[in-house]
Amino acid sequence: MTDRVATNLATTAHQVREHIVGMCAGPEGGHLGGSMSLVEILTVLYFEVLRIDPVRPAAPDRDVLILSKGHGAICLYAVLAERGFFPAEELAEYARPGSRLMGHPIRAVPGVEMPTGSLGHGLALANGFALADPNRRCFAVMGDGELQEGSVWEAAMTSVSLGLGNLTAVIDRNRLQLTGPTEDTVGLEPLADRWRGFGWTVREADGHDFDALRAALEPGATDRPTVVIAHTVKGRGLPSVEGRAHSHYATLGTRQAERALAVLRARHRRATS
């Protein structure tokens, strides 16, 4: 990845984080921590990997992304807006009466393939899209706490049985869920070995490193699916909430939002100077 591309991605990711803070400062708040951990993952996918056209979001030859962890909707909305699917100004309407930008994504939003957020369903949905057209790539982006749902593993067996080499699952491995650390709730480790045991090609990457993500998201074997375990930090970008379970949902006051934006902007200046 060239320095110019990396700088552009970093700037986009920074803007996405600002949008997330802005939406969490609205009257209903939003899922802050799990949206912040997703930023680099979705930025790389929508700006570097997916074959998509914001002008023709339903183009039959498009690639497909299912955000299975639908509570990360505000990150998805911010990325879609930055990618040109709808004006960024609409983000200010998030969770307002009559807005199509709901707490979980719905198909009324351009670029959203399926309504999600009932955790554990996204991988099965992605199986269907991948089976329907082997010539397109399909992605299911999941939270790690979501992997405690048995339906995920039923879908994982099906993916391998159907030989869905055009399917990639991406796990936002921030190690936290609503109730605390994933390993204190229902242990997932050894996570990579579990996926290998189901017959998947397994890759691991720093979920906040653009180069590492881009390499991990390259097409895999033609006859079996790939899973990318992206190691991330919940609340990434805001030291006051990074790696803390209480960042799961937040309604930011005016001063809190101003401080958060100031921190994000200072970090971005240092990173790009």
Side-chain angles (χ1 to χ4, degrees):
M1 186 180 296
T2 67
D3 290 343
R4 178 172 170 273
V5 170
T7 299
N8 289 343
L9 289 175
T11 298
T12 299
H14 166 73
Q15 192 59 55
V16 168
R17 283 196 165 88
E18 286 208 12
H19 290 319
I20 291 171
V21 168
M23 284 183 274
C24 286
E28 300 298 326
H31 287 92
L32 176 65
S35 294
M36 288 296 212
S37 61
L38 270 179
V39 172
E40 283 78 15
I41 294 170
L42 292 188
T43 298
V44 167
L45 281 163
Y46 277 94
F47 284 83
E48 286 289 305
V49 177
L50 290 168
R51 179 182 56 184
I52 49 174
D53 182 356
V55 178
R56 299 168 60 239
D61 61 345
R62 73 192 184 282
D63 290 337
V64 169
L65 184 144
I66 304 293
L67 180 65
S68 189
K69 53 170 286 183
H71 57 283
I74 57 176
C75 181
L76 177 62
Y77 296 155
V79 172
L80 290 173
E82 287 296 312
R83 188 65 175 83
F85 281 86
F86 57 87
E89 290 75 17
E90 187 177 344
L91 297 173
E93 300 175 12
Y94 166 71
R96 307 280 176 146
S99 173
R100 60 186 177 178
L101 303 181
M102 298 185 179
H104 285 209
I106 60 172
R107 292 187 67 190
V109 180
V112 172
E113 297 286 353
M114 295 292 289
T116 54
S118 183
L119 296 176
H121 294 176
L123 186 57
L125 293 171
N127 279 349
F129 279 102
L131 181 63
D133 186 353
N135 295 314
R136 67 178 169 200
R137 297 189 68 190
C138 298
F139 297 83
V141 178
M142 299 183 287
D144 49 1
E146 179 178 4
L147 303 185
Q148 295 158 0
E149 296 281 357
S151 53
V152 170
W153 301 103
E154 293 173 9
M157 285 190 292
T158 302
S159 310
V160 173
S161 296
L162 295 173
L164 299 179
N166 58 330
L167 174 66
T168 299
V170 184
I171 300 168
D172 180 10
R173 184 67 168 123
N174 61 36
R175 294 182 172 269
L176 287 171
Q177 57 194 97
L178 178 62
T179 54
T182 56
E183 301 311 290
D184 291 348
T185 306
V186 177
L188 298 172
E189 296 297 340
L191 186 56
D193 289 342
R194 289 179 190 272
W195 285 94
R196 289 190 187 98
F198 274 74
W200 286 62
T201 296
V202 178
R203 298 172 180 170
E204 299 191 60
D206 179 340
H208 300 300
D209 183 296
F210 295 118
D211 286 323
L213 283 169
R214 184 67 180 85
L217 291 165
E218 287 292 326
T222 58
D223 61 346
R224 61 176 174 163
T226 297
V227 59
V228 176
I229 302 173
H231 297 280
T232 62
V233 177
K234 194 160 189 169
R236 175 75 170 198
L238 298 176
S240 61
V241 299
E242 280 185 348
R244 299 186 182 185
H246 73 252
S247 71
H248 188 82
Y249 197 95
T251 303
L252 302 177
T254 301
R255 292 183 64 185
Q256 289 175 307
E258 289 174 350
R259 286 196 296 269
L261 290 174
V263 169
L264 289 175
R265 289 164 185 169
R267 281 190 159 194
H268 182 59
R269 284 194 298 270
R270 287 195 299 270
T272 56
S273 60

